[in-house]
Amino acid sequence: MIAQSTNGGIDWEIILPVSTAALTDITIANLYVVISSADGNFIRGNLETNSWELITTGFSTYLSRVFYNEHQKTLISLSSDGDIFISDNDGNLWAPVSQDNHYLNSIAQSADKKLLLVVGDNGQALISDNGGRTWTPKTTPVNTNMEGAIPDGESGFIIYGEFGLLMQLKDFQSEWKIINYPISTFVHQLLTDTLDNWIAVGTKGIILKSKNQGKTWQPAITPARENDYFLSIVRDKKSGNLITAGPPGTILVGNKNTDEWRVRLALSDANQGYFHRIISDNKGTLIAIAGPGVTHYSADAGDNWQVATIDNSKQLFNAIYDQYR
């Protein structure tokens, strides 16, 4: 369906259908209205004659966006298959200029009109400094679906996406700055390290840090793997080390004075190292409680781990340290 109003949206005229496909996006290019569709074609309307026509492209992909670059006088369209198409003649002919693997959601232009940014699913971002004729991947530190972007400053952007993602790019040469990290994983434990500094751990090897009492979060750079599943975290007060543990038998230690995290145990077998809880006596001794699996202990603030002498046929889930005895 296409409807148009000539009196500010009070009354609407339904245009006779030009295509049976779902229509996905619309833009104004000079004297034309250009509409993208779900079957890979376009509808173009002439604003002077109020005539409408179907432009077939030969593409069969779902077109998610159509954008008019007034600075370069080009039309750009995005697809669900990761394609970027361009037209130099008001949409008569289209040519592919980039192909990626993920759904592309949105396109934005910088305030100085020099840069175009395309964002999509799984952290995909591409940038162009020549009006969309060539595109360069702009690697992002997330694999979250990015829904859109807005210009920021003269030549920068802010991206927004699912689970509260906000990222900032100052200019073409800059790296991404995460303003708010998407918490899309299951968080299992929160450690209030100090009044302001909070740490959260959870699935997919995630360790999140907040320096403002949980208002915003950023990921810690760690050697954790996608299949690591952190269930518990403590700080050993004597050494200052942060220690987190979980299946499949992974223990990471974070140094007190740096942001560096090191793998100190990697059993790679949840049946042996399903660590439910890690406890500390605050004097350098730690216990990683396994259930099921094999309970481990460390006498040097988490650097080295040995098998504890305990009945490993039992599934152990929790423990406390009795500091008085």
Side-chain angles (χ1 to χ4, degrees):
M1 189 193 75
I2 303 172
Q4 72 172 359
S5 171
T6 56
N7 59 2
I10 297 172
D11 301 299
W12 290 86
E13 173 196 1
I14 303 299
I15 305 300
L16 289 175
V18 183
S19 167
T20 58
L23 307 181
T24 57
D25 199 17
I26 185 170
T27 191
I28 302 292
N30 296 321
L31 295 176
Y32 295 102
V33 175
V34 180
I35 300 172
S36 57
S37 74
D39 63 359
N41 298 317
F42 295 90
I43 293 172
R44 186 173 64 182
N46 188 307
L47 295 177
E48 290 187 336
T49 63
N50 197 25
S51 58
W52 298 82
E53 61 181 323
L54 177 67
I55 298 175
T56 57
T57 63
F59 313 133
S60 59
T61 183
Y62 181 102
L63 299 175
S64 55
R65 286 286 181 270
V66 62
F67 171 82
Y68 181 60
N69 183 357
E70 189 174 1
H71 188 64
Q72 296 278 342
K73 308 300 180 186
T74 57
L75 280 160
I76 297 167
S77 185
L78 315 179
S79 90
S80 61
D81 293 334
D83 306 291
I84 302 177
F85 304 107
I86 193 169
S87 173
D88 285 303
N89 53 8
D90 295 327
N92 281 310
L93 296 172
W94 292 83
V97 289
S98 180
Q99 208 289 320
D100 205 78
N101 296 321
H102 299 289
Y103 195 116
L104 297 177
N105 287 312
S106 188
I107 182 171
Q109 188 173 42
S110 60
D112 61 10
K113 310 299 182 184
K114 295 180 181 179
L115 295 178
L116 291 170
L117 177 70
V118 164
V119 297
D121 288 359
N122 294 90
Q124 290 297 307
L126 299 103
I127 201 162
S128 173
D129 61 357
N130 57 7
R133 300 182 191 282
T134 60
W135 293 85
T136 303
K138 189 67 176 177
T139 303
T140 67
V142 298
N143 60 2
T144 306
N145 294 343
M146 299 186 294
E147 300 299 332
I150 58 173
D152 178 46
E154 280 296 301
S155 56
F157 300 91
I158 288 179
I159 281 180
Y160 56 90
E162 64 179 355
F163 307 116
L165 171 69
L166 290 174
M167 282 197 309
Q168 184 180 42
L169 184 71
K170 287 291 188 182
D171 50 49
F172 189 82
Q173 288 79 25
S174 298
E175 298 298 321
W176 293 103
K177 176 186 177 184
I178 295 180
I179 304 171
N180 193 53
Y181 189 76
I183 305 178
S184 58
T185 56
F186 197 104
V187 173
H188 274 278
Q189 187 173 341
L190 175 67
L191 174 69
T192 52
D193 194 31
T194 65
L195 180 63
D196 293 321
N197 295 332
W198 295 8
I199 301 167
V201 297
T203 62
K204 297 185 178 181
I206 197 71
I207 300 177
L208 301 172
K209 303 180 299 180
S210 174
K211 296 183 178 180
N212 53 12
Q213 299 181 12
K215 295 181 180 68
T216 58
W217 294 86
Q218 290 191 349
I221 306 302
T222 77
R225 300 164 301 177
E226 182 83 1
N227 66 332
D228 287 328
Y229 200 118
F230 295 127
L231 296 172
S232 183
I233 183 170
V234 296
R235 183 183 287 282
D236 177 67
K237 291 183 179 178
K238 180 180 180 181
S239 64
N241 287 347
L242 283 166
I243 305 98
T244 186
T250 304
I251 297 177
L252 264 58
V253 173
N255 187 275
K256 174 185 177 181
N257 299 315
T258 69
D259 289 330
E260 180 188 8
W261 287 84
R262 297 168 294 134
V263 177
R264 306 314 301 153
L265 188 67
L267 300 179
S268 299
D269 183 356
N271 290 320
Q272 293 297 309
Y274 206 105
F275 298 131
H276 270 281
R277 186 73 62 183
I278 190 162
I279 64 168
S280 170
D281 68 353
N282 291 321
K283 302 173 186 176
T285 298
L286 297 139
I287 310 291
I289 305 298
V294 179
T295 295
H296 284 63
Y297 77 94
S298 170
D300 54 8
D303 277 336
N304 296 282
W305 293 84
Q306 293 84 34
V307 174
T309 304
I310 194 170
D311 184 356
N312 289 308
S313 67
K314 306 295 184 183
Q315 294 188 15
L316 305 176
F317 294 101
N318 207 347
I320 60 170
Y321 170 66
D322 180 354
Q323 62 178 325
Y324 302 105
R325 287 171 287 189

